[in-house]
Amino acid sequence: MGSLRDLENNVGEELERKNDEEIIMKKKKNAQIFRKLLVNFQEVILGTKLCLLLPAIPLAILAQYYHFARPWIFAFSLLGLAPLAERVSFLTEQIAHFTGPTVGGLLNATCGNATEMIIGLFALYQRKIHVLKYSLLGSILSNLLLVLGSSLFCGGLANIKKEQRFDRKQADVNSLLLLLGLLCHMLPLMYRLALGPSINNINNNVATSILGLSRVSSIGMLIAYAAYLFFQLKTHRQFFESPEEEEEENKASEDEEAVIGFWSSFAWLIGMTITIALLSEYVVGTIEAASDSWGISVSFISLIVLPIVGNAAEHAGSIIFALKNKLDISLGVALGSASQISMFVVPLCVIMGWIIGVDMDLDFSILETGSLAFSIILIAFTLQDGTSHYMKGVILCLAYCAIGACFFFHKIPINIENYSYGIMSA
């Protein structure tokens, strides 16, 4: 009997030890998971100075839920988009550590303008073509004039005793893309103006022809952008990366490691994208109310305010590289983003409108297309000699201010249908 009791006691002690070990292992795993979550939260949420604007996100949701005044919903949503756009850029950089430079470049190209793309798709879905066109045009002008101009200005002042030089090959390729996009934007406008307003009002087939021309041009633009990605990432990668930059990137990749894991970055990226989509829907739905309440035209808010918020991360990054006298990277950020909007996002919206039955075309009217044309010409002259100084930045920034002032006073009747010489009806 005694031996049986001893065996039972030994078995019971072993079971208790195993249970204790399992409990300890579970506690360790839970502690590790908690630490990872804490590290992820610290790096993703608190890893930027723009985290001070993150409380605007729940405020926007609460304002929408409790039916606050629509201008308040617009303001909170707009403030909340700025840190989200910056964090999306950070997360794509983290994923690039695991996917390699090629896929990482594609991710940056896709997610770099995620805010503008999502706002544009919601505006398209809600049939607010005027908001869509102004926001897309404003993003192009913001990158070309404000982002690049302020980068050249700050870089020129910081390196005032040095001659700032950059490789013209990258700038030439992006300039060609922008000129092709400008041609595709001008053809529908010239087609309409060539026929005259009287014919345009009588013959409805003209609008159908412009729409068909825009869709064909959009397909060509998407093909050109796909060829550009292949050109940049595969066949002529040396055009976009100088030997010095490649050595620095190799050293940086050896020294730097991903702060958070691949699946954590992917999960955060999905969450951020969903939040951006929610706030973008609020912005598009309340922009007219904010315009009426604040006395600011919809054109100014869509063309100036929204792109500045969406390009906040790219703007800061471009200036930092320019201060370090790395103009090739600054040009890649500004011109690359402008080319992406012009040659990918704009035609994508036209094709998406075609799919869902919304008449989105490339006729951006004479004032908007003229502003784009002169901006691209100004950029081409600015970058023609391969050197830079702060005066070039001053000129570009003043050009952006002049265009902004023009659209501040440009108040169009957006609710008038078939507005022949406007940017399209609502």
Side-chain angles (χ1 to χ4, degrees), residues 25-312:
M25 292 296 294
K26 288 182 180 179
K27 288 182 178 179
K28 287 182 178 180
K29 288 182 180 180
N30 293 334
Q32 290 177 355
I33 294 173
F34 179 76
R35 288 174 185 173
K36 287 183 180 180
L37 292 175
L38 189 61
V39 170
N40 289 345
F41 181 84
Q42 183 177 359
E43 293 293 339
V44 177
I45 302 299
L46 304 178
T48 174
K49 294 180 180 179
L50 292 177
C51 66
L52 297 175
L53 298 177
L54 288 174
I57 299 173
L59 288 176
I61 297 173
L62 290 174
Q64 174 71 15
Y65 182 78
Y66 288 104
H67 305 289
F68 283 16
R70 298 179 74 79
W72 283 104
I73 301 174
F74 178 82
F76 286 139
S77 301
L78 200 63
L79 290 175
L81 284 174
L84 290 175
E86 194 275 336
R87 290 291 85 187
V88 166
S89 177
F90 165 77
L91 291 170
T92 54
E93 291 177 0
Q94 296 299 307
I95 294 176
H97 284 284
F98 301 94
T99 59
T102 302
V103 179
L106 290 173
L107 281 172
N108 286 325
T110 304
C111 299
N113 292 306
T115 304
E116 294 92 335
M117 193 182 302
I118 294 173
I119 289 176
L121 291 176
F122 271 106
L124 182 67
Y125 178 75
Q126 297 183 19
R127 299 178 182 271
K128 295 184 178 182
I129 306 299
H130 57 287
V131 175
L132 170 60
K133 290 186 175 181
Y134 275 131
S135 62
L136 295 176
L137 176 66
S139 182
I140 299 173
L141 296 178
S142 174
N143 281 290
L144 290 180
L145 300 178
L146 181 62
V147 176
L148 185 57
S150 57
S151 299
L152 296 182
F153 175 72
C154 295
L157 289 181
N159 303 275
I160 198 167
K161 295 183 180 180
K162 301 178 183 178
E163 184 182 22
Q164 289 192 293
R165 306 190 65 86
F166 55 87
D167 190 357
R168 285 181 54 191
K169 294 177 182 178
Q170 178 184 174
D172 289 343
V173 174
N174 281 286
S175 297
L176 286 173
L177 275 180
L178 290 171
L179 287 172
L180 175 59
L182 176 61
L183 174 64
C184 294
H185 282 83
M186 291 186 67
L187 286 176
L189 173 65
M190 292 188 295
Y191 181 87
R192 174 168 59 82
L193 294 178
L195 295 177
S198 59
I199 298 177
N200 190 28
N201 290 332
I202 295 172
N203 191 1
N204 293 328
N205 291 330
V206 174
T208 305
S209 299
I210 291 175
L211 194 60
L213 175 60
S214 299
R215 290 168 177 172
V216 172
S217 300
S218 296
I219 294 174
M221 293 165 74
L222 290 174
I223 294 173
Y225 186 73
Y228 165 73
L229 288 180
F230 186 77
F231 181 86
Q232 178 186 14
L233 299 175
K234 285 289 185 181
T235 60
H236 289 71
R237 192 170 180 175
Q238 67 276 8
F239 280 18
F240 300 86
E241 293 181 0
S242 61
E244 295 179 357
E245 288 178 8
E246 289 181 356
E247 292 178 2
E248 291 179 0
E249 287 182 359
N250 291 332
K251 292 179 181 178
S253 61
E254 292 176 359
D255 297 337
E256 295 180 3
E257 294 182 357
V259 178
I260 58 179
F262 173 80
W263 291 111
S264 298
S265 301
F266 189 73
W268 277 105
L269 185 61
I270 293 176
M272 293 282 183
T273 305
I274 293 173
T275 308
I276 289 175
L278 180 64
L279 296 184
S280 298
E281 184 179 9
Y282 293 167
V283 165
V284 173
T286 58
I287 188 170
E288 285 93 350
S291 173
D292 295 337
S293 178
W294 299 343
I296 303 175
S297 64
V298 174
S299 59
F300 182 81
I301 295 177
S302 302
L303 193 137
I304 302 297
V305 178
L306 290 182
I308 289 177
V309 173
N311 293 327

